[in-house]
Structure formats: C-alpha cells, structure tokens
Amino acid sequence: MYEIDKEIHAPRAQLEAVKYDVIKYCISTLVSISAMEVAVIHILM
C-alpha cells in the first residue's frame, strides 16, 4: 500500500515543482519587459 501511495504522489510533487518554476519564469519575464518599457519611455521623453 505504501509503494502505491508513493508512486501516486511522486508525479504530483513533480508537477507542483514544475508549476512553481513556470510561475517564477513568467513573473521574471513580465518584470523584465516592464523594465524595458520604462527604459524606452524614459529615452523617448
């Protein structure tokens, strides 16, 4: 019974880790794009 539970929960834990990585990369991409937009606006003004 313990082996079955472990096999069921292992992919779920991997999905959670991947989900947090994707969220982290999305947030960092949005921050980078926002910083570039601010820099372009600053240059144009």
Side-chain angles (χ1 to χ4, degrees):
M1 188 68 160
Y2 178 72
E3 286 293 323
I4 293 173
D5 289 337
K6 192 168 86 171
E7 289 183 21
I8 290 172
H9 292 294
R12 184 172 293 165
Q14 287 178 338
L15 279 175
E16 289 293 320
V18 169
K19 182 174 76 173
Y20 289 125
D21 283 344
V22 169
I23 291 171
K24 181 176 62 173
Y25 286 121
C26 286
I27 290 172
S28 63
T29 301
L30 290 174
V31 169
S32 299
I33 291 172
S34 298
M36 288 175 20
E37 288 175 354
V38 169
V40 168
I41 291 171
H42 183 68
I43 290 171
L44 293 176
M45 293 191 153

